[in-house]
């Protein structure tokens, strides 16, 4: 059916763009490969966990950096966690920003940290939106009777 | 009693044997829920049996509940409730399982720390499937080493040593249990790999180290120590012991445990010292159940010791929360089976040795005290009669400790020397000479003189010395090491008493203990030991303070002085300048 083929192409193109733009990396592919019949929603589940965890971390970071005396160790710990988390699904840009973020923590640079936090939040929103779109496309494709190309 | 059948059936339900590595039982510990889910999926795809855990403490609990329920542990380095490295140490010590560390941080220093703590590998996140597919190699390797270790001893000739579980105290039983596990593993391994090893020899049964047997062992160790500092080896010990059915392999593994025990004691000592004294009141005066005759409560009653007792505040002893009970068995296994660690240890040895001689200071941070220190202290306890033996073998000590406790070998070594020296000095002060103290019997009189508080320390061991219960014994050992010192100290009039020696000793003790603590954290007994250490430490730190009379734990006293005295006698020189670590435990540590 044209419709399905169309949807499929759309999905493939969209997916490719995410990789091309460096929003997602190889790890995301790995996740997709792990998905199987026994766990058809694996990727969506994992990504949902990532969203939850990240939002929590971003909140914590915001709070920590607002303190009178910033506890950089704590901030660093959160960033480290965020780095690990983002690496799990391949959110490359977020992960990379975390590296710089940790440097600022080491330098006890509040300004730098705040700036990083902004950037991280931005990138996080971006990857979240993109992934949500991707999943939507997948659902549409499946609803139309198609299957997700591997 | 043949353990073959039960061994195979016991808790060995997974199909590992048949289709290894499929069915490999993996425990994954990571506070990141996303990674936990991903790893679970990946491992399942590898046909492994996966259990996930979000907290380190929970993981330890799971591991302890099912001593033999897992083959390998994969843990993240950064976790909220416990440092991954600590978990690593615990697992290594208690369960002797291969542990893989993982982190998104691949800094060399972190990786090195992982290796130092005994990690089999360090994986960088994001982790790929192919990396996980091969983790079975670590399990396999460990098994091979175990088998090789067993087979390398001459005794593989069908000597069946029955385990007298019934005669043993709890520790003994634990010991047996653990042994069975290891024996089982060997069996299982051998069954799977016919070409590996020698199948002609029957499976070796674990030996139950009864009090008598252990005393013979200690005696032999001491004897050897007297003659040659650096030559205490299982073969020699075996010869001296003159126990026909005992094999060199049995002795070797027992020796290893003993060393660990000593180091643990020492560590505790150190920890205590560093923490400013232990709460004596916290020391449970339990019966040395199965511990090496440690009278103090330390022995065997791990259960009794409240987890919270341990006041190693500095040290992150999760042990406190640990259920020592479970550890006994594990510890045993760990000790006896940590062939892998042993190899790790060897590598570390050179360092400790050097450091040892150079450092006499006992305010070394005990937390990281390496096992060496501990060893010195511990051996003393074991071999009551062998105080003079401190010198000899640092090496073995180090080895055991390193491998066993996976403690970062740092600076502990030097501490060891100290205690010995102090022990020496103590001895001089005392009328008891090391040689005289040979054997528990001798110690008795010693103790008697020292302190009314010290109750029959020597003899208590009788009950305690059964199979060197890893956990309880180590605790006991620890205590013991301390006690003797204190006893010795208190008993002796400070004349000729080199307080500084004591201090050193204590520091060594502490190091030993702290070092051991790390590994033995789960043992409540350690806590008790700490207690002792506290005593000792208080003594040490203020040189003139030689009052050990508050040793409430007779067990400690008994053990301690004995070897202290011995050491003292043998090392009459200034404790500080003996780079060699007096052989606390004949050759246990030194070789």
């Amino acid at each position: 059916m044209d419709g399905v083929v169309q949807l499929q192409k759309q999905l493939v193109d969209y997916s490719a763009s995410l990789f091309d733009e460096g929003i997602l990396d190889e790890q995301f592919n790995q996740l997709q490969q792990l998905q199987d019949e026994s766990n058809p929603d694996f990727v969506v589940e994992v990504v949902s966990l990532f969203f939850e965890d990240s939002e929590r971390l971003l909140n914590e970071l915001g709070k920590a950096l607002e303190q009178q005396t910033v506890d950089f160790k704590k901030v660093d710990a959160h960033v480290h966690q965020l780095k690990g988390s983002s690496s799990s699904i391949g959110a490359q840009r977020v992960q990379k920003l975390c590296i710089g973020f940790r440097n600022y923590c080491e330098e006890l640079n509040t300004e730098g940290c705040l700036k990083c936090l902004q950037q991280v939040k931005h990138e996080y929103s971006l990857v979240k939106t993109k992934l949500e779109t991707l999943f939507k496309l997948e659902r549409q494709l499946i609803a139309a009777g198609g299957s997700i190309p591997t | 009693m043949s353990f073959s059948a039960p061994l195979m059936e016991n808790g060995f339900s997974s199909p590992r044997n048949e289709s290894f590595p499929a069915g490999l039982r993996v425990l994954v510990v990571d506070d990141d829920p996303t990674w936990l889910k991903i790893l679970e999926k990946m491992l399942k795809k590898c046909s492994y049996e996966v259990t996930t855990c979000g907290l380190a403490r929970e993981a330890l609990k799971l591991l302890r509940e099912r001593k033999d329920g897992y083959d390998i542990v994969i843990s993240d380095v950064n976790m909220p409730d416990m440092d991954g490295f600590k978990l690593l140490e615990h697992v290594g010590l208690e369960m002797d399982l291969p542990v893989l560390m993982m982190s998104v941080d691949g800094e060399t220093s972190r990786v090195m720390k992982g290796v130092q703590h005994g990690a089999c590998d360090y994986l960088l996140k994001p982790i790929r499937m192919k990396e996980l597919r091969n983790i079975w190699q670590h399990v396999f390797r460990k098994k091979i080493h175990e088998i090789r270790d067993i087979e390398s001893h001459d005794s593989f000739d069908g000597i069946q040593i029955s385990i007298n579980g019934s005669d043993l105290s709890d520790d003994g039983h634990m010991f047996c249990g653990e042994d069975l596990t290891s024996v089982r593993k060997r069996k299982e391994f051998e069954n799977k790999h016919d070409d590996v090893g020698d199948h002609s020899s029957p499976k070796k049964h674990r030996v139950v180290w009864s009090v008598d047997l252990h005393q013979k062992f200690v005696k032999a160790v001491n004897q050897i120590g007297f003659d040659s500092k650096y030559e205490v080896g299982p073969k020699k010990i075996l010869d001296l012991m003159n126990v026909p059915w005992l094999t060199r392999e049995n002795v070797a593994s027992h020796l290893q445990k003993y060393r660990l025990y000593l180091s643990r004691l020492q560590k505790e000592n150190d920890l205590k010292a560093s923490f400013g004294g232990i709460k004596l009141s916290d020391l449970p005066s339990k019966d040395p159940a199965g511990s090496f005759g440690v009278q103090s409560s330390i022995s065997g009653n791990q259960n009794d010791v409240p987890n919270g007792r341990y006041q190693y505040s500095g040290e992150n002893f999760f042990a406190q929360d640990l259920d020592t009970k479970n550890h006994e068995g594990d510890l045993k296994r760990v000790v006896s089976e940590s062939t892998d660690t042993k190899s790790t240890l060897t590598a570390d040895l050179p360092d400790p040795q050097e450091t040892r001689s150079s450092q006499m200071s006992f305010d070394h941070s005990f937390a990281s005290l390496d096992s060496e220190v501990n060893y010195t202290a511990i051996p003393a306890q074991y071999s009551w009669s062998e105080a003079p033996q401190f010198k000899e073998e640092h090496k073995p000590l180090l080895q055991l400790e390193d491998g066993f406790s996976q403690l970062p070998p740092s600076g502990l070594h030097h501490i060891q020397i100290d205690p010995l020296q102090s022990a020496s000095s103590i001895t001089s002060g005392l009328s008891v000479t090391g040689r005289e103290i040979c054997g528990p019997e001798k110690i008795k009189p010693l103790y008697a003189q020292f302190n009314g508080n010290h109750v029959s320390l020597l003899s208590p061991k009788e009950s305690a010395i059964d199979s060197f219960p890893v956990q309880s014994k180590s605790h006991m050992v620890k205590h013991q090491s301390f006690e003797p010192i204190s006893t010795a100290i208190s008993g002796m009039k400070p004349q000729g008493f080199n307080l500084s020696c004591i201090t050193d000793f204590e520091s060594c003790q502490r190091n030993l203990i702290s070092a051991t603590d790390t590994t033995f954290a789960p043992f409540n007994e350690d806590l008790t030991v700490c207690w002792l250490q506290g005593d000792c430490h208080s003594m040490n730190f203020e040189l003139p303070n030689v009052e050990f009379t508050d040793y409430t734990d007779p067990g400690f006293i008994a053990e301690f002085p004995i070897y202290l005295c011995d050491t003292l006698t043998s090392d009459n020189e200034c404790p500080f300048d003996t780079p060699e670590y007096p052989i606390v435990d004949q050759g246990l540590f030194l070789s």
Side-chain angles (χ1 to χ4, degrees):
Chain A
M1 279 175 6
D2 270 352
V4 171
V5 171
Q6 275 275 354
L7 283 173
Q8 227 176 41
K9 184 166 186 320
Q10 202 178 7
L11 179 64
V12 168
D13 289 346
Y14 190 73
S15 185
S17 74
L18 296 184
F19 286 96
D20 292 342
E21 290 166 30
I23 295 177
L24 291 177
D25 66 21
E26 174 58 24
Q27 178 65 15
F28 192 76
N29 272 335
Q30 292 274 317
L31 286 191
Q32 288 178 313
Q33 281 168 30
L34 284 176
Q35 186 163 288
D36 55 21
E37 309 76 46
S38 70
N39 222 170
D41 296 320
F42 179 71
V43 181
V44 173
E45 286 169 11
V46 171
V47 171
S48 303
L49 281 174
F50 165 70
F51 288 159
E52 265 177 47
D53 209 33
S54 300
E55 273 152 38
R56 176 186 64 86
L57 288 168
L58 288 171
N59 268 338
E60 292 293 320
L61 278 169
K63 280 197 269 183
L65 286 170
E66 275 168 18
Q67 301 300 310
Q68 279 283 13
T69 344
V70 176
D71 180 354
F72 284 100
K73 266 187 113 175
K74 195 166 164 199
V75 174
D76 183 73
H78 287 318
V79 177
H80 181 89
Q81 273 185 286
L82 185 61
K83 187 179 174 204
S85 210
S86 54
S87 74
S88 75
I89 67 148
Q92 202 183 90
R93 289 196 196 168
V94 176
Q95 188 182 347
K96 289 195 171 148
L97 281 173
C98 287
I99 299 173
F101 202 149
R102 291 193 80 187
N103 285 339
Y104 281 120
C105 287
E106 253 177 77
E107 296 167 13
L108 312 182
N109 184 339
T110 312
E111 275 304 303
C113 284
L114 282 167
K115 199 174 74 163
C116 267
L117 181 60
Q118 280 310 112
Q119 290 174 320
V120 169
K121 276 182 165 171
H122 172 77
E123 286 301 333
Y124 168 74
S125 292
L126 185 62
V127 73
K128 181 170 181 192
T129 311
K130 296 272 181 181
L131 282 170
E132 282 171 344
T133 306
L134 184 73
F135 293 146
K136 196 174 87 177
L137 287 174
E138 283 182 352
R139 283 196 298 274
Q140 281 176 350
L141 177 60
I142 293 177
S147 57
I148 301 171
T150 36
Chain B
M1 178 162 105
S2 156
F3 297 97
S4 317
L7 282 180
M8 290 309 285
E9 295 150 5
N10 223 4
F12 205 53
S13 51
S14 85
R16 298 189 281 161
N17 280 347
E18 295 84 52
S19 54
F20 186 85
L24 196 73
R25 297 164 306 170
V26 187
L27 176 66
V28 187
V29 191
D30 196 337
D31 65 321
D32 184 331
T34 323
W35 269 115
L36 209 54
K37 191 174 172 83
I38 296 173
L39 289 167
E40 182 184 32
K41 186 75 184 172
M42 283 185 176
L43 290 165
K44 281 192 171 150
K45 283 226 163 197
C46 296
S47 308
Y48 294 155
E49 232 181 75
V50 191
T51 309
T52 58
C53 207
L55 288 174
R57 286 185 202 277
E58 198 191 311
L60 274 174
K61 187 160 152 282
L62 285 175
L63 287 164
R64 287 180 186 141
E65 276 170 13
R66 287 179 64 206
K67 289 283 171 68
D68 195 44
Y70 304 96
D71 296 309
I72 188 166
V73 179
I74 304 181
S75 166
D76 188 86
V77 165
N78 296 83
M79 284 188 289
D81 66 331
M82 186 192 294
D83 181 4
F85 297 118
K86 272 259 158 334
L87 173 65
L88 167 57
E89 281 174 4
H90 285 313
V91 175
L93 278 178
E94 294 177 40
M95 294 111 203
D96 192 29
L97 289 175
V99 182
L100 306 190
M101 302 300 294
M102 30 172 207
S103 177
V104 67
D105 178 4
E107 253 172 58
T108 306
S109 58
R110 300 293 279 175
V111 177
M112 185 159 322
K113 198 172 175 192
V115 176
Q116 281 175 338
H117 280 75
C120 289
D121 204 351
Y122 193 105
L123 305 172
L124 273 195
K125 286 178 173 175
I127 299 177
R128 298 278 179 262
M129 272 278 290
K130 57 185 181 211
E131 295 172 64
L132 294 178
R133 277 197 199 282
N134 286 339
I135 63 172
W136 60 266
Q137 64 178 282
H138 302 292
V139 178
F140 189 77
R141 190 179 297 120
K142 234 181 167 79
K143 293 214 159 106
I144 289 190
H145 287 174
E146 273 173 26
I147 297 202
R148 274 203 206 126
D149 195 37
I150 293 167
E151 291 178 351
S152 66
H153 298 290
D154 325 320
S155 42
F156 225 54
D157 341 281
I159 292 180
Q160 304 275 319
I161 296 171
S162 53
I163 296 180
N164 320 325
S166 51
D167 299 339
L168 296 172
S169 63
D170 285 351
D171 292 332
H173 285 285
M174 288 282 222
F175 185 91
C176 291
E178 283 313 314
D179 284 344
L180 291 184
T181 310
S182 43
V183 174
R184 173 165 64 79
K185 274 187 168 179
R186 283 200 300 277
K187 279 177 70 79
E188 149 202 340
F189 187 83
E190 285 179 357
N191 289 344
K192 284 193 296 213
H193 311 274
D194 268 339
D195 42 317
V196 175
D198 177 21
H199 290 286
S200 55
S201 26
K203 280 301 184 266
K204 304 182 51 72
H205 293 272
R206 283 288 174 176
V207 175
V208 167
W209 283 85
S210 64
V211 173
D212 284 344
L213 193 61
H214 176 68
Q215 293 199 347
K216 279 197 176 123
F217 169 81
V218 169
K219 212 170 161 185
V221 174
N222 287 334
Q223 254 182 279
I224 297 174
F226 286 135
D227 304 331
S228 58
K229 296 195 253 189
Y230 306 93
E231 290 168 24
V232 177
K235 186 93 180 82
K236 227 166 169 181
I237 297 174
L238 182 65
D239 292 342
L240 285 172
M241 282 176 74
N242 194 24
V243 175
W245 50 267
L246 199 61
T247 69
R248 181 176 171 276
E249 202 251 335
N250 301 137
V251 175
S253 60
H254 191 65
L255 183 65
Q256 190 181 9
K257 293 187 188 141
Y258 188 40
R259 286 196 179 124
L260 283 168
Y261 168 63
L262 289 179
S263 60
R264 200 157 68 99
L265 284 175
Q266 186 143 41
K267 212 169 62 106
E268 285 185 8
N269 259 341
D270 293 333
L271 282 176
K272 284 201 167 187
S274 49
F275 290 36
I278 308 210
K279 314 198 170 207
L280 296 184
S281 55
D282 286 351
L283 274 183
S285 25
K286 304 192 228 186
D287 254 357
S291 37
F292 289 88
V294 172
Q295 306 208 341
S296 56
S297 43
I298 300 179
S299 54
N301 301 336
Q302 297 170 343
N303 309 328
D304 300 344
V305 177
N307 286 341
R309 288 301 186 77
Y310 254 141
Q311 303 298 331
Y312 287 103
S313 42
E315 193 73 348
N316 188 7
F317 287 100
F318 293 98
Q320 305 194 0
D321 306 323
L322 297 176
D323 174 20
T324 49
K325 274 195 238 194
N326 299 336
H327 302 308
E328 281 185 351
D330 292 335
L331 192 53
K332 270 198 145 59
R333 232 157 36 92
V334 177
V335 180
S336 52
E337 297 173 13
S338 47
T339 34
D340 272 358
T341 37
K342 270 215 280 197
S343 31
T344 328
L345 291 177
T346 339
D348 295 330
L349 285 177
D351 284 341
Q353 298 248 332
E354 289 148 24
T355 22
R356 271 194 294 190
S357 31
S358 51
Q359 311 188 0
M360 301 287 281
S361 59
F362 56 96
D363 40 332
H364 182 83
S365 78
F366 298 107
S368 59
L369 292 176
D370 40 29
S371 40
E372 282 203 349
V373 176
N374 298 335
Y375 278 80
T376 351
I378 298 188
Q381 298 191 345
Y382 269 87
S383 52
W384 301 352
S385 46
E386 19 173 341
Q389 309 191 346
F390 282 105
K391 292 219 182 176
E392 289 76 298
E393 330 195 63
H394 288 290
K395 266 203 178 142
L397 206 86
L398 290 177
Q399 288 188 330
L400 285 177
E401 295 228 316
D402 286 346
F404 189 82
S405 59
Q406 310 199 351
L407 295 171
S410 51
L412 280 179
H413 303 299
H414 52 276
I415 302 199
Q416 291 175 324
I417 301 185
D418 295 344
L420 288 180
Q421 318 224 322
S422 43
S424 313
S425 45
I426 294 176
T427 319
S428 34
L430 293 171
S431 51
V432 181
T433 47
R435 305 287 165 201
E436 293 168 5
I437 306 193
C438 296
E441 306 77 35
K442 296 231 182 121
I443 301 183
K444 266 195 209 158
L446 241 190
Y447 290 120
Q449 353 168 328
F450 289 12
N451 194 329
N453 296 352
H454 310 309
V455 199
S456 55
L457 291 174
L458 294 182
S459 29
K461 307 326 162 72
E462 293 132 6
S463 51
I465 304 197
D466 358 273
S467 44
F468 191 40
V470 178
Q471 289 192 339
S472 49
K473 285 210 171 145
S474 22
H475 289 288
M476 300 203 42
V477 172
K478 282 205 247 189
H479 297 293
Q480 296 188 344
S481 45
F482 294 165
E483 292 235 281
I485 294 188
S486 37
T487 321
I489 297 186
S490 49
M492 298 192 318
K493 283 311 167 146
Q495 64 248 351
F497 186 96
N498 181 356
L499 290 176
S500 55
C501 289
I502 298 187
T503 319
D504 287 327
F505 186 88
E506 288 196 334
S507 34
C508 292
Q509 291 271 338
R510 277 179 304 137
N511 286 343
L512 195 59
I513 303 237
S514 31
T516 39
D517 267 334
T518 311
T519 46
F520 295 79
F523 301 98
N524 283 330
E525 289 176 322
D526 285 344
L527 292 175
T528 347
V529 175
C530 296
W531 170 79
L532 280 178
Q533 293 186 336
D535 274 346
C536 292
H537 293 305
S538 52
M539 287 198 29
N540 291 340
F541 296 110
E542 308 141 337
L543 294 185
N545 177 17
V546 226
E547 319 254 320
F548 286 97
T549 42
D550 2 325
Y551 253 111
T552 52
D553 189 347
F556 285 107
I557 300 180
E559 316 240 355
F560 210 74
I562 296 197
Y563 90 109
L564 275 179
C565 292
D566 286 344
T567 332
L568 292 177
T569 356
S570 50
D571 284 337
N572 279 324
E573 68 254 51
C574 169
F576 295 95
D577 55 89
T578 306
E580 289 171 354
Y581 195 60
I583 304 180
V584 173
D585 183 5
Q586 293 204 306
L588 276 191
F589 305 98
L590 300 181
S591 51

